Amino acid sequence: MSSVTVASLNRISCERLRTLLLTQHTQPGEEKVVVVDVPSRLNKQDPDHIGGHIKSSRHVPSGSLDYTAAELARQLKGAEKVVFHCLLSQQRGPSAALRYQMERERLFGRGSTVTAGGTKEEEGGEGREGGEEGEVKMQEVLVLDGGFAGWQAKYGNDERLTENYNKELWEAEY
């Protein structure tokens, strides 16, 4: 069983994520960093998504993770970093990151993730699906500090980083 808890998940600053995303966009090829937006509802027009979102982020409602975490882990097995966030990254984002990491470790073995402090998790046996098409890379699961609220305050107007940003909506809400 994973020793990772919500409190021990690694975090990433908005500034560091910005740097990683801008670097990724200038180097074509496989996605190295994947951002997962975890809104509260299935509707892409819910209040958590309508004011904008991080460019190229995946929209994965928190209520769907119980039945989609395994497929998401398979889809993202080649990514080096997977960053989860919700509006503030205090509850849904970290809970989703934990659920995802536990599912990833169940599928590919405990050695498939980087734990708090940036170290490789002690091997818990061979991953069950490691031989499937495409290599399972070591992956760091992160939570965006400040969530989208913090992100939009810094990078909402940067069209390289944020799509469909509605400044008026954020000014009215915060």
Side-chain angles (χ1 to χ4, degrees), residues 9-174:
L9 285 167
N10 290 332
R11 298 233 167 206
I12 186 170
S13 69
C14 292
E15 296 81 11
R16 178 72 180 131
L17 180 58
R18 172 197 172 274
T19 300
L20 291 172
L21 291 175
L22 289 176
T23 301
Q24 176 169 275
H25 292 303
T26 61
Q27 298 173 352
E30 195 173 290
E31 286 182 296
K32 292 182 180 183
V33 179
V34 177
V35 178
V36 180
D37 182 357
V38 188
S40 58
R41 293 181 211 89
L42 293 172
N43 183 353
K44 284 191 177 186
Q45 296 304 312
D46 69 35
D48 291 348
H49 200 78
I50 198 168
H53 55 273
I54 298 173
K55 195 169 190 169
S56 77
S57 64
R58 292 174 180 240
H59 184 265
V60 181
S62 59
S64 72
L65 269 172
D66 286 338
Y67 57 90
T68 61
E71 182 57 29
L72 187 62
R74 287 183 195 99
Q75 290 173 3
L76 303 181
K77 70 181 174 183
E80 292 175 11
K81 297 179 188 314
V82 179
V83 180
F84 286 82
H85 77 86
C86 58
L87 182 61
L88 300 173
S89 288
Q90 292 178 348
Q91 191 169 16
R92 283 189 319 272
S95 294
L98 180 62
R99 208 170 329 162
Y100 170 83
Q101 183 164 335
M102 289 169 54
E103 186 62 24
R104 180 178 166 81
E105 290 175 0
R106 184 187 72 77
L107 290 171
F108 306 121
R110 286 180 59 198
S112 67
T113 58
V114 175
T115 61
T119 60
K120 184 178 175 181
E121 179 87 13
E122 188 176 309
E123 293 288 340
E126 291 297 313
R128 294 187 184 114
E129 298 188 20
E132 211 173 278
E133 63 183 60
E135 181 184 340
V136 177
K137 293 183 180 178
M138 189 65 158
Q139 186 176 91
E140 187 171 16
V141 179
L142 301 155
V143 176
L144 179 61
D145 260 342
F148 189 76
W151 177 268
Q152 66 80 28
K154 293 181 181 200
Y155 307 117
N157 288 317
D158 189 335
E159 292 181 3
R160 299 171 304 164
L161 298 166
T162 308
E163 292 180 315
N164 301 323
Y165 182 64
N166 184 333
K167 183 178 180 178
E168 292 77 27
L169 179 73
W170 286 96
E171 287 174 347
E173 292 289 322
Y174 292 98

